[in-house]
PDB file of all heavy atoms in Angstrom:
ATOM      1  N   ALA K  68      15.700   0.842   3.116  1.00  0.00           N
ATOM      2  CA  ALA K  68      15.475   1.194   1.716  1.00  0.00           C
ATOM      3  C   ALA K  68      14.788   0.082   0.925  1.00  0.00           C
ATOM      4  O   ALA K  68      14.410   0.298  -0.242  1.00  0.00           O
ATOM      5  CB  ALA K  68      16.800   1.547   1.054  1.00  0.00           C
ATOM      6  N   LEU K  69      14.612  -1.089   1.517  1.00  0.00           N
ATOM      7  CA  LEU K  69      13.909  -2.168   0.815  1.00  0.00           C
ATOM      8  C   LEU K  69      12.465  -1.755   0.548  1.00  0.00           C
ATOM      9  O   LEU K  69      11.882  -0.972   1.302  1.00  0.00           O
ATOM     10  CB  LEU K  69      13.935  -3.451   1.665  1.00  0.00           C
ATOM     11  CG  LEU K  69      15.292  -4.136   1.815  1.00  0.00           C
ATOM     12  CD1 LEU K  69      15.202  -5.264   2.844  1.00  0.00           C
ATOM     13  CD2 LEU K  69      15.802  -4.660   0.480  1.00  0.00           C
ATOM     14  N   PRO K  70      11.866  -2.272  -0.525  1.00  0.00           N
ATOM     15  CA  PRO K  70      10.493  -1.856  -0.846  1.00  0.00           C
ATOM     16  C   PRO K  70       9.504  -2.270   0.229  1.00  0.00           C
ATOM     17  O   PRO K  70       9.669  -3.298   0.888  1.00  0.00           O
ATOM     18  CB  PRO K  70      10.203  -2.582  -2.169  1.00  0.00           C
ATOM     19  CG  PRO K  70      11.157  -3.730  -2.193  1.00  0.00           C
ATOM     20  CD  PRO K  70      12.384  -3.256  -1.489  1.00  0.00           C
ATOM     21  N   ARG K  71       8.489  -1.437   0.400  1.00  0.00           N
ATOM     22  CA  ARG K  71       7.385  -1.760   1.304  1.00  0.00           C
ATOM     23  C   ARG K  71       6.114  -1.880   0.480  1.00  0.00           C
ATOM     24  O   ARG K  71       5.719  -0.939  -0.205  1.00  0.00           O
ATOM     25  CB  ARG K  71       7.222  -0.684   2.373  1.00  0.00           C
ATOM     26  CG  ARG K  71       8.442  -0.536   3.245  1.00  0.00           C
ATOM     27  CD  ARG K  71       8.159   0.159   4.547  1.00  0.00           C
ATOM     28  NE  ARG K  71       9.404   0.377   5.278  1.00  0.00           N
ATOM     29  CZ  ARG K  71       9.480   0.733   6.543  1.00  0.00           C
ATOM     30  NH1 ARG K  71       8.357   0.924   7.237  1.00  0.00           N
ATOM     31  NH2 ARG K  71      10.642   0.916   7.137  1.00  0.00           N
ATOM     32  N   ARG K  72       5.523  -3.039   0.579  1.00  0.00           N
ATOM     33  CA  ARG K  72       4.250  -3.260  -0.106  1.00  0.00           C
ATOM     34  C   ARG K  72       3.137  -2.858   0.864  1.00  0.00           C
ATOM     35  O   ARG K  72       2.858  -3.559   1.836  1.00  0.00           O
ATOM     36  CB  ARG K  72       4.099  -4.718  -0.515  1.00  0.00           C
ATOM     37  CG  ARG K  72       2.786  -5.028  -1.229  1.00  0.00           C
ATOM     38  CD  ARG K  72       2.612  -6.530  -1.412  1.00  0.00           C
ATOM     39  NE  ARG K  72       1.419  -6.859  -2.176  1.00  0.00           N
ATOM     40  CZ  ARG K  72       0.193  -7.001  -1.664  1.00  0.00           C
ATOM     41  NH1 ARG K  72       0.000  -6.809  -0.352  1.00  0.00           N
ATOM     42  NH2 ARG K  72      -0.822  -7.315  -2.437  1.00  0.00           N
ATOM     43  N   PHE K  73       2.530  -1.715   0.606  1.00  0.00           N
ATOM     44  CA  PHE K  73       1.429  -1.241   1.445  1.00  0.00           C
ATOM     45  C   PHE K  73       0.156  -1.349   0.615  1.00  0.00           C
ATOM     46  O   PHE K  73      -0.005  -0.652  -0.392  1.00  0.00           O
ATOM     47  CB  PHE K  73       1.674   0.202   1.873  1.00  0.00           C
ATOM     48  CG  PHE K  73       0.673   0.716   2.877  1.00  0.00           C
ATOM     49  CD1 PHE K  73       0.823   0.475   4.230  1.00  0.00           C
ATOM     50  CD2 PHE K  73      -0.428   1.448   2.449  1.00  0.00           C
ATOM     51  CE1 PHE K  73      -0.098   0.956   5.154  1.00  0.00           C
ATOM     52  CE2 PHE K  73      -1.353   1.936   3.370  1.00  0.00           C
ATOM     53  CZ  PHE K  73      -1.184   1.689   4.722  1.00  0.00           C
ATOM     54  N   GLU K  74      -0.727  -2.238   1.018  1.00  0.00           N
ATOM     55  CA  GLU K  74      -1.988  -2.442   0.301  1.00  0.00           C
ATOM     56  C   GLU K  74      -3.146  -1.950   1.146  1.00  0.00           C
ATOM     57  O   GLU K  74      -3.199  -2.189   2.356  1.00  0.00           O
ATOM     58  CB  GLU K  74      -2.212  -3.919  -0.029  1.00  0.00           C
ATOM     59  CG  GLU K  74      -3.511  -4.150  -0.797  1.00  0.00           C
ATOM     60  CD  GLU K  74      -3.816  -5.614  -1.076  1.00  0.00           C
ATOM     61  OE1 GLU K  74      -3.095  -6.491  -0.546  1.00  0.00           O
ATOM     62  OE2 GLU K  74      -4.780  -5.884  -1.810  1.00  0.00           O
ATOM     63  N   TYR K  75      -4.070  -1.271   0.487  1.00  0.00           N
ATOM     64  CA  TYR K  75      -5.323  -0.878   1.120  1.00  0.00           C
ATOM     65  C   TYR K  75      -6.453  -1.488   0.315  1.00  0.00           C
ATOM     66  O   TYR K  75      -6.532  -1.315  -0.908  1.00  0.00           O
ATOM     67  CB  TYR K  75      -5.479   0.641   1.144  1.00  0.00           C
ATOM     68  CG  TYR K  75      -6.837   1.079   1.679  1.00  0.00           C
ATOM     69  CD1 TYR K  75      -7.127   0.989   3.032  1.00  0.00           C
ATOM     70  CD2 TYR K  75      -7.818   1.550   0.811  1.00  0.00           C
ATOM     71  CE1 TYR K  75      -8.369   1.363   3.519  1.00  0.00           C
ATOM     72  CE2 TYR K  75      -9.064   1.934   1.292  1.00  0.00           C
ATOM     73  CZ  TYR K  75      -9.334   1.840   2.652  1.00  0.00           C
ATOM     74  OH  TYR K  75     -10.577   2.209   3.132  1.00  0.00           O
TER      75      TYR K  75
END
Side-chain angles (χ1 to χ4, degrees):
L69 290 172
R71 299 199 185 193
R72 180 189 184 274
F73 187 84
E74 181 183 8
Y75 175 74

